Every structure is written in structure tokens, then in C-alpha cells.
């Protein structure tokens, strides 16, 4: 069905001394910052400068990195009428000089004491969808876009409350990431994406050397169910070969994640049928023609049945089946409508099922792109939340990454899988089939977890893996249930079980 077939499984010259740094560029009363904030920020920069050169007292490379950090600092965002207590940076990291491939990132320090907090990378999927568009702008990032497409509001459940968060648009052709050779955009696949993401991390740590050796975690959702384990595997194998340990990988967590084509398809069809979304006949035909198909490269026979199921679904939001879909511009094609996302809204914000549309307006504003240091020579003519060129031309896609789980569990990594239970794209049924296929011994049996005295979901701990469901959440858990998602994230970082009825939320 198009509803499955086309869903994006998502998506300064060197300063000679520290004192010139005490002037915070472009951050005065004009941007709403008072003198006290400027003094605090000046002191923070001075301390950062001293920490840099205490660690690298005669290292010219470190000096260059500090200089580049200052250049990548985001000093003010259009439409931001509120102050923040953290620094953030954005720009490009070259991952292949010969091919001219560069990936765009946006990095947010933790709101308090970032030097003591872990570093976390977030990836969206698609393949072909932007982590800036989804993970940052409508899920777990500190800024979300208002309905006017021109202004921002703060997210009270931002994950940078407890960690330093790095968002990456990967692979090239996604968001603001680019390649000099246009053919690279239509020849992406799992293998090169993992290689380029590893190259990104190695070069990013050169740009931010103060994070070398910091506790590091990978997180993501949807097709990042491929990206995250594959990148974790690439990191582990690379460090075994080279002995280099700047990337201190401790674990990863993925949500509503594409993991194994057979189990994921079987779970999708099972979920849609039991939820009453498709007919008995269509359910049978899906299992006959699609069970063993690739999620990315389906056969024509399977696509015909998927089209039938799409019509039976009707105009619902498959990413969250019990909430309204975006009905703006109803003349759009089915594919475009199904790429819409919806928002349950944040406290103080009106419910809005068309959040993706607002981000599209905002990130196409020239002043926003300038503030984010987007390279004007390579900026897309129109910034899009998801790239059809990347998605429709995807090359290699592993049929299963379960073997990677076994490999990395043996390395002692902390591995969590979570699932919003109202998602019909990669539903909780799919994830349960995948977890069961790993055949891991149970450590803590299935039970409810709680937040503020209410059931937040259910969880089971296995030897080497923890599985968590989030009650009432769709495909994008931090969007649909932001408070519960933050509880989940805190538990994952601490390595503690999800809170029970008699426990308080996990302290950090």
C-alpha cells in the first residue's frame, strides 16, 4: 500500500589570547540578553578556553578547533524571543574530501554543567529524512516551530536537559547535507551511510576535542533502526583495528525501529488487522505476497496489495492512528499527505497536526539558513523534511540487523529498544517479534512502568537488552508523549530500570 510503500521509515583569525573572547558576538540587548547574561557567558567562554589549552597546552590543532567552534556558534535564531542557558553550534563536517561529501549537524550543549553530561547522537530515518526536521524541530530538541513558520517556542521536555545532544542530517542529500557530485545523492545505501557517519564522528571530535573520551550514546528512530546499530558496529570494529578510543561508545537506543524485514512486515500486518484497519482478505494477501519482501525494495505483486490496504486505511495518520491527520492542502498526493507529521503540542501551544509544514517554512527562510551557517553554494533550492531522491534511489538495505545485536551485546554495550504503541508504520508487534527472535534470557519479566502514578507503558529486561513500550505514543515517541520520552531517556542514560509505581522518576 502506498501508506506503507511510501512511508519514510524515518525522518575568525586565530585569537592570540583569551581576553578577546570575552566579547560575545551578536548577543546583546538586541537579542533579549541582559548584561548579567553577557557576563555569565563571557566567563563560560573564558573557562572553556582555559580548559581547552590546559588539555592541549601546545597543540596548534586544538587552537584551530577552538577557533572553528567559535565560528560555528549559533548566536541568535530568527523568531527566538526567549533566552536559553546553553550554547549551540551548527555547520558542516566533511566526510569525504575526494567526493566532496559533507554532513550538516546541529549540536546543543546540556542546559546545565555540560562538562559532566554524556554526549548523545540522534538520527532520524527515511531513508532520506532530516534529523533537524523531526528529531530536533518537533520531537526532543530545545526549539520547536510555531504555526506561523517564522517563530520558535521552547520545548520543556528537551533531552538536552540531561545530555549534550548532537543532531545529524545523514546521508548526503538529506536536509542541508550535500555532495559535490550529484550522483552521490542517488547512490546512497546502508554501507556508505555507516562509513560516512563514522567519518563524521571522527572529524567532529577533532572540531570538539573536549568531548573526546566522553561517554557517548547513539539514539534514533524508524530507519535509524538500521543506521544506529550499523554505526555502532562500525565504531566498535574500527576501534578494534586502530586501537583509537576517542569515541567512547557506551550503548545505543532505538525506537519504532526497522530491524528485520520479515518480522517487521509480519508485525505491521498483524497490528493493522487487529486494530481493525484492514480487511481479513487484505491481511491474508499481505502475508502471502509481502512477508518476505524488503521494506525498501518491494516487488510489484506486493505493491498491488499495499495499494489496496492503503485505500482501506482511509485518511488516517499511520504514524499515530488515534490522533487527527493533517488535512491542510487536501489536494496533495497521498504520498505527500502521508509524509506529514502531527503534534500533540506542548504546554501553552495549541494542538496542531501539521507541524512538518511549519518547519518547511522556517528552514527555507534565508535568515535562518544564514544563522545556521548553511553553505550558500550548496544550499538546496528548496529545503525539504525528506528527500524523495534519496529514498527512491536507496541502494543496499540489510534485510536484518539482528546479527548486529548479537555482535554488540557480546561487547557489553547498553542496548535499549522502545516502541510507541499507536504506530502502524513499525508497530509494537513488529518490535516484539524482533526481540523474541533474539532469543535472549529474561532478567526481569514483563511489567508496567509508571510516571506520576500513571502507567507510562510496559517493559521487560533481557540479558543484554531492555525493551520498553510507551503508552499512547505513535511513531515519534518524543513528539506524541514528550514527558514520558524524557523519563525513558533518563532511565536509559542512567542504566536503571524504568520507574515502578513506588519509585520516583529517575534522578540525574
Amino acid at each position: 500500500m502506498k501508506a506503507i510503500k511510501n512511508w519514510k521509515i524515518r525522518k575568525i583569525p586565530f585569537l592570540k589570547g583569551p581576553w578577546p573572547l570575552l566579547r560575545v558576538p551578536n548577543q546583546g540587548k538586541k537579542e533579549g540578553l541582559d548584561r548579567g547574561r553577557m557576563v555569565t557567558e563571557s566567563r563560560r567562554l573564558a573557562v572553556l578556553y582555559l580548559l581547552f589549552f590546559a588539555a592541549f597546552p601546545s597543540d596548534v590543532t586544538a587552537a584551530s578547533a577552538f577557533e572553528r567552534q567559535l565560528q560555528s556558534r549559533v548566536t541568535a535564531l530568527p523568531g527566538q524571543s526567549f533566552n536559553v542557558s546553553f550554547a549551540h553550534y551548527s555547520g558542516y563536517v566533511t566526510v569525504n574530501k575526494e567526493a566532496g561529501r559533507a554532513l550538516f549537524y546541529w549540536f546543543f550543549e546540556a542546559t546545565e554543567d555540560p562538562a559532566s553530561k554524556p554526549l548523545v547522537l540522534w538520527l532520524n530515518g527515511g531513508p532520506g529524512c532530516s534529523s533537524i526536521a523531526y528529531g530536533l524541530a518537533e520531537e526532543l530538541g530545545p526549539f520547536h516551530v510555531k504555526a506561523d513558520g517564522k517563530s520558535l517556542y521552547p520545548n520543556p521536555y528537551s533531552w538536552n536537559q540531561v545530555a549534550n545532544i548532537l543532531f545529524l542530517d545523514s546521508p548526503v542529500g538529506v536536509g542541508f547535507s550535500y555532495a559535490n557530485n550529484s550522483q552521490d545523492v542517488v547512490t546512497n545505501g546502508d554501507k556508505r551511510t555507516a562509513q560516512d557517519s563514522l567519518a563524521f564522528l571522527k572529524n567532529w571530535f577533532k572540531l570538539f576535542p573536549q568531548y573526546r573520551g566522553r561517554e557517548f550514546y547513539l539514539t534514533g528512530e524508524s530507519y535509524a533502526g538500521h543506521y544506529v546499530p550499523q554505526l555502532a558496529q562500525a565504531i566498535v570494529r574500527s576501534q578494534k583495528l586502530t586501537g583509537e578510543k576517542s569515541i567512547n561508545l557506551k550503548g545505543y537506543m532505538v525506537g519504532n525501529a526497522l530491524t528485520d524485514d520479515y518480522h517487521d512486515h509480519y508485525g505491521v500486518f498483524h497490528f493493522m488487522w487487529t486494530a481493525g484497519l484492514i480487511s481479513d482478505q487484505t491481511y491474508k494477501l499481505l502475508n502471502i505476497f509481502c512477508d518476505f519482501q524488503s521494506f525498501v525494495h518491494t516487488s510489484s505483486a506486493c505493491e498491488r496489495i499495499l495499494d489496496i490496504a492503503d485505500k482501506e486505511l482511509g485518511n488516517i495518520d499511520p504514524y499515530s492512528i488515534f490522533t487527527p491527520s493533517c488535512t491542510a492542502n487536501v489536494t496533495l498526493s497521498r504520498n505527500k499527505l502521508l509524509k506529514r507529521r502531527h503534534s500533540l503540542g506542548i504546554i501553552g501551544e495549541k494542538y496542531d497536526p501539521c507541524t512538518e509544514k511549519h518547519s518547511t517554512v522556517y528552514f527555507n527562510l534565508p535568515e535562518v539558513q544564514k544563522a545556521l551557517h548553511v553553505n550558500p553554494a550548496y544550499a538546496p533550492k528548496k529545503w525539504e523534511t525528506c528527500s524523495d531522491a534519496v529514498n527512491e534511489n536507496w541502494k543496499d538495505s540489510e534485510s536484518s540487523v539482528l546479527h548486529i545485536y548479537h555482535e554488540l551485546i557480546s561487547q557489553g554495550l547498553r542496548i535499549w529498544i522502545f516502541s510507541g504503541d499507536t504506530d502502524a508504520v513499525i508497530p509494537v508487534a513488529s518490535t516484539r517479534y524482533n526481540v523474541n527472535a533474539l532469543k535472549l534470557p529474561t532478567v526481569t519479566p514483563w511489567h508496567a512502568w509508571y510516571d506520576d502514578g500513571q502507567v507510562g507503558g510496559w517493559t521487560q529486561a533481557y540479558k543484554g537488552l531492555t525493551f520498553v513500550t510507551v503508552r499512547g505514543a505513535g511513531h515519534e515517541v518524543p513528539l506524541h508523549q514528550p514527558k514520558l520520552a524524557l523519563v525513558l531517556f533518563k532511565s536509559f542514560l542512567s542504566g536503571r530500570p524504568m520507574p515502578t509505581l513506588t519509585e520516583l522518576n529517575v534522578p540525574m
Side-chain angles (χ1 to χ4, degrees):
M1 95 196 78
K2 291 181 182 176
I4 295 177
K5 178 178 67 179
N6 291 321
W7 293 347
K8 309 304 181 191
I9 312 290
R10 340 199 187 176
K11 251 134 60 72
I12 301 171
F14 176 60
L15 299 167
K16 295 182 179 179
W19 305 116
L21 300 181
L22 299 184
R23 293 183 65 254
V24 184
N26 302 322
Q27 286 198 347
K29 291 185 178 179
K30 183 178 179 181
E31 285 74 31
L33 299 179
D34 57 27
R35 184 173 179 80
R37 266 294 316 281
M38 293 179 68
V39 171
T40 300
E41 179 64 13
S42 297
R43 290 172 178 168
R44 196 196 70 81
L45 283 172
V47 170
L48 176 61
Y49 185 94
L50 293 173
L51 287 173
F52 242 89
F53 292 95
F56 306 97
S58 60
D59 193 336
V60 177
T61 301
S64 175
F66 190 76
E67 172 191 341
R68 290 178 61 198
Q69 282 188 37
L70 289 179
Q71 292 174 336
S72 64
R73 178 78 179 268
V74 179
T75 55
L77 282 171
Q80 180 188 336
S81 59
F82 50 90
N83 295 335
V84 296
S85 62
F86 53 85
H88 54 115
Y89 308 81
S90 67
Y92 294 91
V93 169
T94 299
V95 296
N96 188 299
K97 290 183 179 179
E98 293 74 20
R101 294 199 298 272
L103 299 182
F104 183 81
Y105 73 91
W106 197 346
F107 171 57
F108 295 86
E109 289 185 349
T111 54
E112 294 182 2
D113 195 14
S116 69
K117 301 294 195 302
L119 174 66
V120 176
L121 174 70
W122 173 270
L123 296 169
N124 275 90
C129 293
S130 166
S131 298
I132 306 302
Y134 297 111
L136 195 164
E138 65 178 45
E139 295 188 71
L140 57 121
F143 308 133
H144 288 176
V145 183
K146 289 186 177 180
D148 61 8
K150 297 180 181 179
S151 51
L152 304 172
Y153 63 94
N155 173 17
Y157 302 109
S158 174
W159 286 12
N160 80 320
Q161 294 179 44
V162 292
N164 302 283
I165 307 292
L166 175 61
F167 296 92
L168 176 64
D169 274 349
S170 177
V172 292
V174 174
F176 294 120
S177 296
Y178 68 84
N180 289 339
N181 183 352
S182 60
Q183 280 300 303
D184 279 355
V185 174
V186 294
T187 54
N188 285 304
D190 283 11
K191 184 176 180 180
R192 195 176 74 193
T193 298
Q195 292 172 342
D196 281 359
S197 295
L198 176 59
F200 167 85
L201 286 174
K202 290 180 177 180
N203 290 331
W204 188 87
F205 278 107
K206 293 176 183 177
L207 175 60
F208 289 85
Q210 68 269 39
Y211 286 93
R212 291 176 183 171
R214 184 77 60 93
E215 282 196 3
F216 179 59
Y217 298 90
L218 302 174
T219 55
E221 68 188 18
S222 202
Y223 199 82
H226 279 214
Y227 294 160
V228 168
Q230 288 166 343
L231 177 55
Q233 181 188 54
I235 292 170
V236 169
R237 289 183 174 183
S238 173
Q239 293 190 336
K240 280 186 177 180
L241 286 174
T242 64
E244 205 275 327
K245 298 293 183 182
S246 64
I247 305 176
N248 184 19
L249 180 64
K250 292 295 186 180
Y252 68 82
M253 179 173 70
V254 290
N256 293 79
L258 185 72
T259 304
D260 176 277
D261 285 343
Y262 173 75
H263 293 113
D264 286 328
H265 266 139
Y266 189 67
V268 169
F269 307 148
H270 183 183
F271 181 87
M272 290 195 299
W273 181 67
T274 55
L277 304 179
I278 58 174
S279 66
D280 293 353
Q281 179 67 13
T282 299
Y283 174 61
K284 293 175 183 177
L285 292 174
L286 286 170
N287 281 296
I288 292 171
F289 289 102
C290 299
D291 267 357
F292 293 93
Q293 295 289 311
S294 165
F295 250 76
V296 178
H297 307 113
T298 55
S299 68
S300 58
C302 174
E303 288 182 359
R304 284 194 293 270
I305 310 304
L306 292 175
D307 286 336
I308 295 172
D310 180 33
K311 293 175 183 177
E312 292 178 351
L313 274 171
N315 185 27
I316 68 167
D317 181 353
Y319 295 94
S320 181
I321 63 173
F322 299 123
T323 51
S325 60
C326 178
T327 55
N329 299 322
V330 293
T331 57
L332 286 174
S333 69
R334 181 67 175 171
N335 181 38
K336 292 295 183 183
L337 278 173
L338 287 173
K339 284 170 59 181
R340 297 291 186 198
R341 300 295 201 279
H342 68 275
S343 172
L344 297 181
I346 301 301
I347 295 172
E349 293 297 315
K350 185 180 178 181
Y351 173 83
D352 186 352
C354 301
T355 311
E356 183 182 12
K357 180 179 66 175
H358 314 325
S359 294
T360 301
V361 173
Y362 187 76
F363 290 110
N364 272 295
L365 295 175
E367 58 269 32
V368 171
Q369 295 185 10
K370 182 178 180 180
L372 295 177
H373 314 118
V374 173
N375 187 336
Y378 295 100
K381 291 182 180 179
K382 182 182 179 182
W383 181 91
E384 295 180 313
T385 55
C386 295
S387 167
D388 286 337
V390 172
N391 181 267
E392 294 169 4
N393 294 283
W394 197 257
K395 302 306 178 187
D396 59 296
S397 176
E398 284 197 86
S399 62
S400 176
V401 296
L402 291 175
H403 64 98
I404 300 179
Y405 278 79
H406 282 297
E407 177 181 339
L408 298 181
I409 287 172
S410 70
Q411 299 298 313
L413 294 183
R414 182 183 307 156
I415 300 175
W416 284 37
I417 301 177
F418 65 92
S419 183
D421 61 12
T422 66
D423 173 31
V425 180
I426 305 292
V428 64
S430 297
T431 305
R432 296 189 79 169
Y433 284 130
N434 285 316
V435 170
N436 289 337
L438 289 169
K439 300 186 184 303
L440 301 172
T442 296
V443 174
T444 305
W446 188 262
H447 63 280
W449 63 271
Y450 290 81
D451 177 63
D452 289 340
Q454 298 295 320
V455 173
W458 291 264
T459 181
Q460 183 162 340
Y462 301 85
K463 186 176 181 181
L465 183 142
T466 297
F467 174 48
V468 180
T469 73
V470 182
R471 182 183 176 202
H475 192 67
E476 298 172 87
V477 169
L479 164 66
H480 305 128
Q481 292 287 357
K483 186 171 183 288
L484 298 181
L486 184 58
V487 173
L488 166 69
F489 185 55
K490 289 178 178 180
S491 292
F492 167 69
L493 290 182
S494 68
R496 299 177 183 177
M498 297 300 293
T500 63
L501 185 59
T502 58
E503 294 174 334
L504 297 174
N505 288 346
V506 178
M508 292 299 295

